[in-house]
Amino acid sequence: MLAEITAAVQSLRTLGELAKAAKSLSNQQEIVMAVSDVNFRLMEAMTVALASQERHSALLTRISDLEKEINDLKIKQSAAEKYSLHKFPTGTFAYRLKDEYEEIQPGHYLCIKCNDTGIHSKLQPFGSRRLKCTTCQTVIQTEADPPSPPKKYVSTARPRW
Ligand SMILES: [Zn+2]
């Protein structure tokens, strides 16, 4: 980019020299050639300026993208520091707010699936032994269901009278 700016400045300097020289030109053909050369130098300078402007714009976009990426990483890192992986007795997992942060906000769990894709989704109670993610609809069981009562034998045979 510095080389392009230097070339543009050089072209403009040459342009100024040609303009000074044009004053001393005596015949028509020399004037036409000088004007043509000035036009050529101007086109070169404009081309360099446009290329430089495009690169500048691309760099600004890249800086903006990187700033957003840094911000997203800071948010993820902050969230990762506040939560730990928790294993429920059923063997299912969720991210649990660490005890030291429960003074700031009530204890809760985050959906692993959503969190791993950058979405901060709190799990909500779903029945008495399950949590549900309202974003991806994943349901995890946190406690085992009580054993079901023994089934009574029901005969399907017709009674004999
Ligand atoms: Zn989810």
Side-chain angles (χ1 to χ4, degrees):
M1 188 152 152
L2 183 61
E4 293 163 345
I5 293 171
T6 304
V9 169
Q10 182 61 38
S11 293
L12 290 173
R13 194 173 293 147
T14 303
L15 177 68
E17 289 168 6
L18 287 171
K20 285 179 190 171
K23 288 180 184 173
S24 64
L25 297 177
S26 56
N27 71 35
Q28 183 78 18
Q29 189 173 0
E30 287 179 332
I31 292 173
V32 169
M33 286 185 62
V35 168
S36 176
D37 195 38
V38 167
N39 280 337
F40 178 76
R41 300 285 180 185
L42 263 176
M43 295 277 279
E44 274 185 339
M46 287 178 65
T47 302
V48 168
L50 283 173
S52 179
Q53 195 172 15
E54 277 182 32
R55 286 191 181 174
H56 179 76
S57 177
L59 287 173
L60 286 178
T61 301
R62 180 78 177 133
I63 287 169
S64 175
D65 291 348
L66 289 173
E67 285 175 342
K68 184 184 179 315
E69 195 174 319
I70 287 169
N71 194 38
D72 289 348
L73 287 172
K74 282 181 181 176
I75 290 170
K76 278 186 180 179
Q77 184 178 4
S78 172
E81 289 171 359
K82 291 180 181 174
Y83 294 87
S84 61
L85 189 63
H86 179 78
K87 184 177 181 182
F88 292 101
T90 55
T92 54
F93 291 91
Y95 290 114
R96 180 180 176 275
L97 184 68
K98 291 180 180 174
D99 294 339
E100 61 261 32
Y101 294 101
E102 288 190 9
E103 293 173 8
I104 302 167
Q105 54 184 317
H108 59 271
Y109 297 94
L110 294 181
C111 173
I112 288 180
K113 183 179 175 184
C114 289
N115 195 65
D116 289 350
T117 57
I119 300 168
H120 188 90
S121 183
K122 292 181 177 103
L123 296 171
Q124 298 297 315
F126 187 70
S128 59
R129 295 176 199 90
R130 289 170 178 76
L131 295 172
K132 182 178 184 179
C133 175
T134 55
T135 304
C136 71
Q137 309 303 315
T138 296
V139 175
I140 62 169
Q141 188 164 359
T142 57
E143 294 177 34
D145 288 325
S148 51
K151 293 182 180 178
K152 293 181 180 172
Y153 177 72
V154 178
S155 174
T156 56
R158 289 185 165 175
R160 295 183 198 163
W161 303 106

